[in-house]
């Protein structure tokens, strides 16, 4: 096997390793949020360090492959897609950290009841992330297309969550309740952005 082919295979393996780390970050941050378990935050923060290291390694590999081999056609498209996917994965890790940090604050106060759509949007986005990583691993464009279709569902759930939270803010006179509702608005937007990044990765897979 040519050295270039070995390096391309190594690049894909690093991307898959990073995707696995990011998926674990998201899963753990979501558990922390839904189950109100502050111990999960330590895992998220430790994984973030590994993800940041992987991001640098992958970016460096992509630049060296382009500079030293001057690839064209399919190979060049794969490398440029790998750079975009690498960036999206790193940003997904950042969003997982944001969710974890806000969850730590929310856990300090009593749970806001009747927010049935929070677990639903969490589940929907986790499925998007899982499917986009599986699609990348198997080069499954049909599965990637299904991720794009799920984005509308996430957008709809987001709007329902935000409507509930805004209604709660308007009706409440308790400062702590209002602050928790505002924090959950930011959490919901971070969850939606995870779906957006999963969509970006799926579009790169299809391309």
């Amino acid at each position: 096997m040519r050295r270039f082919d070995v390096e391309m295979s190594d690049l894909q393996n690093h991307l898959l390793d990073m995707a696995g780390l990011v998926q674990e970050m998201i899963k753990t941050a979501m558990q922390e949020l839904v189950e109100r378990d502050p111990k999960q935050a330590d895992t998220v923060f430790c994984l973030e360090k590994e993800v940041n290291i992987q991001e640098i390694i992958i970016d460096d590999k992509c630049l060296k492959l382009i500079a030293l081999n001057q690839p064209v056609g399919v190979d060049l498209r794969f490398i440029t897609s790998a750079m975009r996917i690498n960036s999206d994965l790193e940003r997904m890790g950042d969003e997982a950290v944001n969710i974890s940090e806000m969850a730590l604050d929310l856990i300090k106060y009593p749970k806001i009841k009747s927010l049935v759509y929070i677990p639903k949007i969490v589940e929907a986005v986790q499925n998007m992330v899982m499917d986009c990583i599986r699609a990348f691993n198997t080069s499954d464009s049909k599965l990637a297309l299904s991720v794009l279709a799920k984005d509308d569902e996430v957008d709809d759930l987001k709007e329902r969550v935000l409507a509930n939270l805004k209604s709660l803010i308007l009706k409440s006179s308790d400062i702590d309740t209002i602050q928790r509702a505002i924090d959950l608005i930011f959490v919901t937007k971070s969850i939606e952005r995870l779906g957006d990044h999963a969509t970006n990765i799926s579009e790169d897979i299809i391309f």
Side-chain angles (χ1 to χ4, degrees):
M1 185 180 289
R2 292 183 306 159
R3 180 175 178 81
F4 176 73
D5 294 329
V6 172
E7 290 174 348
M8 289 284 278
S9 178
D10 185 53
L11 170 60
Q12 183 169 18
N13 288 335
H14 272 282
L15 272 171
L16 288 171
D17 288 344
M18 183 172 178
L21 290 170
V22 170
Q23 188 174 6
E24 187 62 27
M25 283 183 74
I26 293 167
K27 178 183 174 183
T28 306
M30 298 297 198
Q31 285 177 339
E32 178 190 352
L33 175 68
V34 174
E35 298 172 9
R36 299 171 65 80
D37 181 5
K39 293 178 183 177
Q40 303 285 3
D42 290 337
T43 302
V44 175
F45 299 148
C46 287
L47 287 169
E48 182 197 18
K49 295 176 184 177
E50 295 182 49
V51 166
N52 289 340
I53 291 170
Q54 280 289 351
E55 192 236 350
I56 293 168
I57 291 171
I58 290 167
D59 204 44
D60 184 62
K61 284 182 176 293
C62 289
L63 292 173
K64 284 181 179 177
L65 279 167
I66 292 172
L68 298 178
N69 298 279
Q70 297 182 336
V72 295
V74 174
D75 292 331
L76 181 60
R77 285 200 298 274
F78 176 80
I79 295 169
T80 54
S81 291
M83 293 178 77
R84 289 194 297 270
I85 290 170
N86 186 39
S87 177
D88 276 305
L89 287 170
E90 192 273 334
R91 290 175 185 173
M92 289 168 87
D94 288 343
E95 294 298 348
V97 170
N98 290 341
I99 292 166
S100 181
E101 289 175 341
M102 285 184 279
L104 282 176
D105 287 334
L106 286 163
I107 289 166
K108 297 174 186 176
Y109 302 97
K111 187 177 181 179
I112 294 178
K113 296 180 180 179
S114 74
L115 287 176
V116 294
Y117 294 112
I118 288 282
K120 288 183 179 180
I121 191 173
V122 165
E123 181 181 4
V125 167
Q126 282 183 309
N127 287 337
M128 286 181 72
V129 171
M130 181 174 64
D131 286 347
C132 87
I133 291 171
R134 279 176 50 213
F136 173 70
N137 189 25
T138 58
S139 300
D140 189 338
S141 59
K142 288 184 178 178
L143 185 57
L145 279 169
S146 76
V147 175
L148 303 186
K150 289 174 185 173
D151 192 45
D152 289 338
E153 177 191 354
V154 169
D155 287 342
D156 180 61
L157 287 168
K158 179 203 71 172
E159 292 304 324
R160 295 185 184 203
V161 172
L162 294 182
N164 283 356
L165 289 169
K166 289 172 183 176
S167 175
L168 181 63
I169 290 170
L170 291 172
K171 292 177 181 178
S172 179
S173 58
D174 177 64
I175 296 299
D176 286 340
T177 299
I178 292 171
Q179 184 58 57
R180 278 179 288 155
I182 291 171
D183 287 345
L184 278 170
I185 287 173
F186 285 112
V187 168
T188 302
K189 289 183 177 180
S190 282
I191 294 172
E192 183 208 15
R193 282 192 288 271
L194 288 172
D196 290 340
H197 290 303
T199 298
N200 291 344
I201 291 171
S202 298
E203 287 173 344
D204 275 320
I205 293 165
I206 294 165
F207 171 71

